[in-house]
Structures are given as structure tokens and as C-alpha cells.
Amino acid sequence: MKTFMIERYGDKAGVRAGEMPDPQVGADDILVQIHAASVNPLDLRLRDGDFKVFLPYRLPLILGNDLAGVVVQVGSAVTRFAVGDEVYARPDKDRIGTFAELIAVHQDDVAAKPATLTMEEAASLPLVALTSWQALVERAHVLPGQKVLIHAGSGGVGTIAVQLAKQLGAHVATTASTAKADLMRELGADVVVDYKKQAFETVLHGYDVVLDTLGGETLEKSLQVLKPGGKVISIAGPPDPAFARELGAKPILRLAMSALSFRTRRRAKRRKVTYSFLFMKASGDQLRELTPLIDTGKIRPVVDRVFPFAETRQAMEYVEKGRAKAGKVVVAMT
């Protein structure tokens, strides 16, 4: 099958087209003919080797972390799906590789594609929708009336998280440029802080939850906008001990992750708030929870641009250089 892969870490020019054997289909797997996949910052970080310490992939590695497509084969123990079903998914972290014509995915990680969406629209959602759900519903337990800040609201995660937070009944603030302010309000933001003109930490106060998608100084400043008991959940900050335990990491790696996040956790504790790192997990069940919100238009995908499969490398460069105006960049296989 045709793929886009890397053969070594850290080589920005190393993403290349290549042939790989068709996937083996296990008893609980479905084989999906991929119609579309989306590009995520995670793909760039995997290419660069940022996670190789705790995600030791065997090279060459096919990149790509979410998909929409059609089932073409089912394993002997599969009960949820049949050949011909249209599906979407974020494969498990150990079985990524959606920049390809085919992928074998465990049935538990897959859901029926939202009927109202095109393949390209559906492919833009799994990773960012699951990230938003796991941060706001599973981790933060957002309740109606609570105040939630979503950083980088016009990004892939941000466009979905703003909508989900609003559906949960939250008062939603986001950071975005003036050019994106109207879109942010359309998606449900109550407050839009222009990060180019205002320091968000000086205008926002008393928040219950911050979803940090940027890390660095933004993460540190986010601690200031939370009220006592508040939570900052980061997908871009340093890994924490809970994540190390979740991974089943060896003691030396647990110690290293604890050290990486020590300063942030200490600052959070001093302000009587909590910090946690989120590395989202595959979940067909959670996608099924999200699908009705999508099919009723309460959460809608935001797609910036669709590239043909042959231009997957260019699509990654487009994302890396920050050219996307809002939402996701998608690769169409057919």
C-alpha cells in the first residue's frame, strides 16, 4: 500500500512517500480503506522524535493520527462493524499510521462516521474532539455556569473545545487574533481576548478551568487566571507523574517526568490550583458520545484546507509554518 513515512527522527525533509505491506488484521480489528486523514501538530512532534522516550516506535513509521474511511475487512471477533460501514477513528497510540491507503484498527477505537459530514470533515475531528472531551468532560468535569478558558481558539483543538465547552453550559473565553474573533463568537465564545493586543492574564479572572494548548509562558500565566480549586489541563506542557503512571513507565522515566513538571506543579500548588498533562487516548465510545452533537450541528468541524494524498508532505509543512487560518488541515486519499 502507498504511505507517507519517516525512516529516522528529526529530519524535516525525511517525510517521504513509500510502499509498505498491507496491515495484518487481528481478530478484534477492522481493516479500513482510508478516504481522508488530518494533519495534527502531534505528527510534527512525532517526526521530530519529541516523544521517542515514552513512545518507542519501530522505524520506518507511518505518520497520521486520525481518519475517516470505509471498512473493507473485519476480524473474526468483530461485532460492532461490517464491510461497507463508513467510520472515523483516532487509532491507539501504538497503532498510528493514517497517512496510508489502509489501516487495521481495534474495533473499540472506531465509531460510525457522522452521517451529516463528508469524509474530509469527519477526518478532521477524532483527535481534536477526543482531546476536548477528555479534557473538559473526563478530566475537568465542566459544569453549567463554570468559567472555562480555551487557548488558541482558532486552532484544531480550540475550535472544537470552544463548542464543546459551550454545550456543557460553560461561560467560555478564548485567545485568538482580531481576525478570528467573529469565528470564535460563532463557535460559542463569550469572551475573545486578542493575544496580540491584550495580556489575557490581566483581563481574565476567577476561572474554573483552563485548557492550555500552547505550553511555555502561556501555561505559566494561565495559573494566574484560575480561582482557588481551579484546574489547568495542558496538552503542550511538561508531562507529570500521573501521566508516567498511566504509561506504566519505568522508575527512571517516572522520575524524569516528575522533574520536568515539578516547577509548574509547585507554582500551581502555591496558588491552590492543580496542573495536569493530557495525552489523549483512543476511544470509540467517546466518539459515539460526540457524534449526536456533530450530527445535530451543535459541534461542527472547521476545515482550513484539503490537500491531495500525494501532497501529504506539503500539508505538514503548511501546518508547521502556521499557514492555516483556522481549524484543521486534511489529506484526501481519493
Side-chain angles (χ1 to χ4, degrees):
M1 65 175 179
K2 296 177 181 177
T3 73
F4 272 85
M5 68 177 91
I6 58 168
E7 293 181 307
R8 61 183 181 275
Y9 290 121
D11 183 358
K12 294 187 177 183
V15 179
R16 68 171 185 86
E19 293 282 338
M20 293 281 277
D22 289 357
Q24 296 293 311
V25 181
D28 288 295
D29 293 343
I30 63 171
L31 184 66
V32 181
Q33 181 182 8
I34 299 172
H35 285 220
S38 75
V39 180
N40 294 282
L42 176 59
D43 297 303
L44 304 173
R45 298 190 70 182
L46 289 172
R47 177 204 65 190
D48 293 344
D50 290 355
F51 298 127
K52 63 184 178 182
V53 172
F54 58 84
L55 289 177
Y57 292 113
R58 180 179 296 176
L59 301 176
L61 172 66
I62 304 171
L63 295 172
N65 282 273
D66 44 14
L67 68 101
V70 175
V71 178
V72 293
Q73 183 182 337
V74 298
S76 59
V78 170
T79 57
R80 293 181 181 272
F81 301 97
V83 171
D85 287 350
E86 295 187 343
V87 296
Y88 72 148
R90 191 285 199 220
D92 182 77
K93 62 179 174 57
D94 296 324
R95 301 183 64 178
I96 68 168
T98 63
F99 296 161
E101 293 180 305
L102 297 165
I103 190 170
V105 189
H106 195 288
Q107 63 174 335
D108 290 349
D109 298 337
V110 183
K113 181 184 78 66
T116 57
L117 301 187
T118 65
M119 286 289 184
E120 291 80 9
E121 290 170 332
S124 76
L125 287 173
L127 187 143
V128 296
L130 288 171
T131 299
S132 302
W133 183 274
Q134 289 166 22
L136 300 176
V137 176
E138 192 174 58
R139 184 77 60 90
H141 306 292
V142 171
L143 298 172
Q146 287 190 316
K147 296 169 70 175
V148 176
L149 168 60
I150 312 290
H151 281 299
S154 65
V157 171
T159 52
I160 304 304
V162 166
Q163 295 178 79
L164 179 58
K166 199 62 185 174
Q167 287 304 311
L168 295 171
H171 171 90
V172 183
T174 191
T175 53
S177 65
T178 298
K180 314 288 175 52
D182 287 345
L183 173 62
M184 293 299 92
R185 294 189 181 95
E186 285 175 24
L187 296 179
D190 299 289
V191 177
V192 182
V193 178
D194 186 339
Y195 64 88
K196 294 181 179 179
K197 298 178 180 178
Q198 296 174 294
F200 72 89
E201 71 275 15
T202 66
V203 296
L204 302 177
H205 305 284
Y207 275 69
D208 298 279
V209 178
V210 176
L211 175 52
D212 166 49
T213 61
L214 300 171
E217 289 186 9
T218 298
L219 169 57
E220 299 297 333
K221 292 175 181 178
S222 293
L223 301 174
Q224 301 173 36
V225 311
L226 290 167
K227 69 182 186 182
K231 303 173 183 177
V232 58
I233 299 161
S234 179
I235 62 173
D240 61 5
F243 174 62
R245 289 193 297 271
E246 189 179 304
L247 273 181
K250 294 179 180 179
I252 188 70
L253 186 54
R254 290 190 187 190
L255 189 62
M257 289 189 186
S258 180
L260 284 171
S261 60
F262 175 75
R263 189 180 71 168
T264 301
R265 289 184 288 113
R266 182 177 61 183
R267 288 182 176 179
K269 188 175 182 179
R270 285 175 177 170
R271 302 190 73 92
K272 297 182 171 60
V273 301
T274 59
Y275 165 77
S276 64
F277 173 76
L278 175 68
F279 192 91
M280 59 77 56
K281 302 181 291 291
S283 174
D285 286 341
Q286 290 177 0
L287 286 176
R288 279 183 280 277
E289 295 263 15
L290 284 153
T291 298
L293 296 173
I294 297 163
D295 273 335
T296 56
K298 293 174 181 175
I299 292 178
R300 64 179 177 89
V302 179
V303 175
D304 177 85
R305 183 172 169 184
V306 179
F307 284 78
F309 179 54
E311 296 179 13
T312 297
R313 181 172 161 182
Q314 291 92 319
M316 293 180 66
E317 291 173 354
Y318 181 85
V319 171
E320 185 169 27
K321 292 177 180 177
R323 292 177 180 170
K325 296 178 178 64
K328 294 294 293 293
V329 172
V330 174
V331 174
M333 306 298 176
T334 55

